[in-house]
Amino acid sequence: MIGTTATLRVRIGAHDAHYAGELVDGSRVLALFGDLATELLIRLDGDEGLFRAYEAVEFVAPVYAGDFLEAVAELCSVGNTSRRIRFEARKVISNVRASGLPPSAAEALASPIVVARAVGTCVVPKELQRRPRELYMPGLPIGSPPAAEPLVTPVVGEDVVLTAAIVGAELTRAQTPYLPITPDEMADEAARCREAGAAIIHLHARNHDGSNTQASERYAEIIDAIRRRCDCIVQASTGGAVGMSLDERTGPLACAPEMATLNCGSINFGNDVFVNSRPDIRKIAGKIRSAGAIPELECYEVGHVEEALALVAEGAIGSPLHFQFVLGVKGAIPAREDVVLFLRSLLPGDATWAVAATGRFQQPMTELAIRLGGHARVGLEDNIYLSKGVLAEGSAPLVARASAYARSIGRAPADPARARQLLQIAPR
């Protein structure tokens, strides 16, 4: 029964509007969560139970009269009497409210908007539990377990490896003042991300004027500064920036990073073309191997996974295999749950995988990957906002949010030493 979900879809009526502009009170959403919890308890225990407390509630988007909400609850863990549940409400239809259109105008949203999230605990007293524990915890004895041994089953027990992409190749100070540029700024941000829960720092480099560089000398300065401040795994980019030559892109490998990215195919990258020919992919793979680094296999399309597997078959790369699905880039594969599930299905059973999603897709795809047992990359390279219109003050707040979510479903953010074990990187 762990992982069981319940779903409600309702139209929010005018009678639910409590504030000016037909804005709906957040308690209306919490009422949906309560009904979902009740359904899960009935399915599990044959009793409505009691809602004890929320440990986290987050309202992230407004709800108005005329909106349709889809609310989902997922059973995370089961104790003697407690049941821990994760909730999410999404807007799937929105009243348009546009000048020149009738008040009844509405649109079905192509991408649902998350409006609220929560984690809460419900209680069903033992004497009211009408279904034997054997139904949802096979192999355990029916009856009351010892009080000192609560039966709590996490959704996924494995630690989650979080990567912080703190710089990127496209971002500018005009877009966000929190972009680190100098080696000291990058080292400070890396240390903040480490404290927030990151184990890996994905690294691009900038010259003093903010321009991109893949020069080994600049990378050496930055890596040295980071290693003086924290013990994170440093993962160098061999993608660089669109238009760089292969020799430019692989400059950082002279610094012997522990990991390096290996882009597994070409894509339309916005209005540009990010070229990775098959011969060049193999040349970069050879250079990564010579540098003693572990490749992270960057997959922007389904064919990129197949190309990575071809590299394995040819002996160009070997175990450990760590894939990263890059989602939401304009011109490449979209950021959707079905996409992640399909990409994951293509991987060998012993491979690890992570998701990096752009812009507003970063948070939902990060949380999806964590729920599915994968890992995740967050940071300013892919997304500069903490919420709509609110700039993240560096990458650390984005890491902290992902860490908090992982803990809420029973996964601990791996520290760098643990991440090295999981990714089969030699300890430093």
Side-chain angles (χ1 to χ4, degrees):
M1 294 290 287
I2 302 300
T4 296
T5 61
T7 303
L8 286 173
R9 181 175 284 199
V10 299
R11 181 184 184 277
I12 303 299
H15 61 279
D16 295 308
H18 187 71
Y19 297 107
E22 296 189 291
L23 183 64
V24 173
D25 194 316
S27 62
R28 180 68 178 92
V29 179
L30 294 182
L32 295 178
F33 291 169
D35 289 344
L36 287 166
T38 300
E39 179 179 342
L40 285 178
L41 296 181
I42 291 170
R43 292 180 180 279
L44 182 66
D45 295 298
D47 191 89
E48 292 190 359
L50 299 168
F51 209 118
R52 186 175 72 186
Y54 284 108
E55 57 189 84
V57 177
E58 182 184 15
F59 297 104
V60 295
V63 178
Y64 298 98
D67 291 342
F68 282 67
L69 297 187
E70 180 179 82
V72 179
E74 180 181 12
L75 186 64
C76 295
S77 61
V78 177
N80 286 335
T81 59
S82 65
R83 286 84 176 91
R84 195 158 178 264
I85 302 172
R86 183 185 62 84
F87 305 92
E88 185 171 278
R90 314 174 188 110
K91 187 186 303 187
V92 294
I93 292 177
S94 178
N95 187 280
V96 174
R97 286 183 171 78
S99 177
L101 292 177
S104 56
E107 291 286 353
L109 302 176
S111 297
I113 298 170
V114 175
V115 300
R117 297 185 180 89
V119 178
T121 299
C122 296
V123 172
V124 181
K126 289 182 181 179
E127 64 272 16
L128 300 181
Q129 296 174 20
R130 298 190 302 112
R131 302 189 191 283
R133 191 175 297 271
E134 181 70 18
L135 289 178
Y136 56 90
M137 290 185 175
L140 292 176
I142 298 175
S144 300
E149 298 291 336
L151 297 172
V152 178
T153 304
V155 178
V156 181
E158 188 64 88
D159 296 342
V160 60
V161 177
L162 297 177
T163 298
I166 63 175
V167 185
E170 308 293 327
L171 196 58
T172 68
R173 279 272 175 88
Q175 293 169 293
T176 174
Y178 303 108
L179 174 69
I181 290 177
T182 70
D184 284 342
E185 289 172 346
M186 292 188 194
D188 287 344
E189 186 60 28
R192 291 177 66 221
C193 290
R194 165 67 171 92
E195 185 176 353
I200 301 174
I201 302 299
H202 172 70
L203 194 60
H204 287 257
R206 301 295 182 95
N207 293 310
H208 287 292
D209 63 0
S211 59
N212 288 302
T213 179
Q214 290 288 97
S216 58
E217 297 82 6
R218 187 62 166 173
Y219 266 86
E221 288 183 76
I222 297 167
I223 292 173
D224 182 61
I226 290 174
R227 286 180 174 163
R228 288 198 305 268
R229 293 295 310 278
C230 68
D231 57 347
C232 283
I233 299 165
V234 175
Q235 180 193 87
S237 168
T238 66
V242 172
M244 286 184 173
S245 69
L246 186 146
D247 286 340
E248 284 182 283
R249 287 169 53 178
T250 55
L253 297 177
C255 302
E258 293 176 85
M259 294 186 76
T261 58
L262 176 59
N263 295 279
C264 295
S266 301
I267 57 162
N268 289 323
F269 198 98
N271 294 328
D272 297 313
V273 179
F274 183 30
V275 178
N276 292 283
S277 69
R278 299 191 76 205
D280 282 354
I281 294 169
R282 283 149 180 79
K283 289 176 185 176
I284 295 174
K287 292 189 175 190
I288 291 174
R289 173 174 279 181
S290 296
I294 298 296
E296 179 177 81
L297 304 166
E298 307 293 312
C299 299
Y300 296 74
E301 286 290 358
V302 173
H304 296 181
V305 176
E306 298 296 336
E307 185 69 359
L309 297 177
L311 293 173
V312 176
E314 296 167 15
I317 59 174
S319 296
L321 297 178
H322 180 61
F323 290 79
Q324 179 157 270
F325 309 143
V326 186
L327 310 173
V329 173
K330 293 185 183 300
I333 205 161
R336 295 200 313 261
E337 182 172 353
D338 61 323
V339 168
V340 176
L341 292 171
F342 180 66
L343 291 173
R344 186 184 66 162
S345 73
L346 302 176
L347 305 187
D350 59 349
T352 54
W353 62 277
V355 159
T358 61
R360 63 187 176 89
F361 301 113
Q362 185 175 90
Q363 184 177 3
M365 292 295 103
T366 292
E367 294 177 358
L368 173 66
I370 293 172
R371 290 199 300 276
L372 294 175
H375 308 285
R377 180 177 102 179
V378 297
L380 295 186
E381 175 172 347
D382 306 313
N383 167 46
I384 63 175
Y385 293 104
L386 192 60
S387 58
K388 188 174 182 179
V390 179
L391 288 172
E393 295 183 7
S395 296
L398 300 169
V399 174
R401 180 169 65 187
S403 296
Y405 179 80
R407 291 189 183 95
S408 78
I409 65 166
R411 297 190 70 187
D415 65 19
R418 176 60 176 149
R420 290 183 175 94
Q421 290 178 339
L422 293 171
L423 302 175
Q424 300 180 49
I425 299 172
R428 290 193 63 80

